[in-house]
Amino acid sequence: MKMATYVFRHKVGDIDAWLKGHSDRVRLFAPASNGFRTFQDADDPKSILIVVDTDNIEKLGAIINDPKNQPIKDRHTVLEPITMSMEINF
């Protein structure tokens, strides 16, 4: 599968708790990601955007939606919905 870039956006309940969880996200996404970048909305500090490079979006989606990872989402105060966008190549 070809490498692609996806953007995930969601809100968090506690930005400090979410920021402290960065190393958890690195480990969690590693099996399906070649890295990611993290952004915070300039006008809403509790709105997060993650840009992920992956060659297996199905695997990444399975990780994000796996019920066994819900405790990590809870600890990081991730709020649903998580919106996913894909890059448009012209």
Side-chain angles (χ1 to χ4, degrees), residues 21-74:
H22 178 75
S23 60
D24 290 339
R25 288 184 293 281
V26 170
R27 283 190 303 276
L28 190 66
F29 298 159
S33 169
N34 291 331
F36 63 91
R37 297 178 309 262
T38 305
F39 298 83
Q40 182 181 42
D41 284 2
D43 62 347
D44 183 355
K46 291 185 176 182
S47 183
I48 300 301
L49 184 135
I50 300 174
V51 179
V52 181
D53 296 317
T54 183
D55 60 0
N56 193 334
I57 191 60
E58 291 81 15
K59 186 173 187 176
L60 183 60
I63 291 169
I64 291 170
N65 294 310
D66 190 332
K68 77 175 183 179
N69 292 325
Q70 188 61 44
I72 294 172
K73 286 181 178 177
D74 292 344

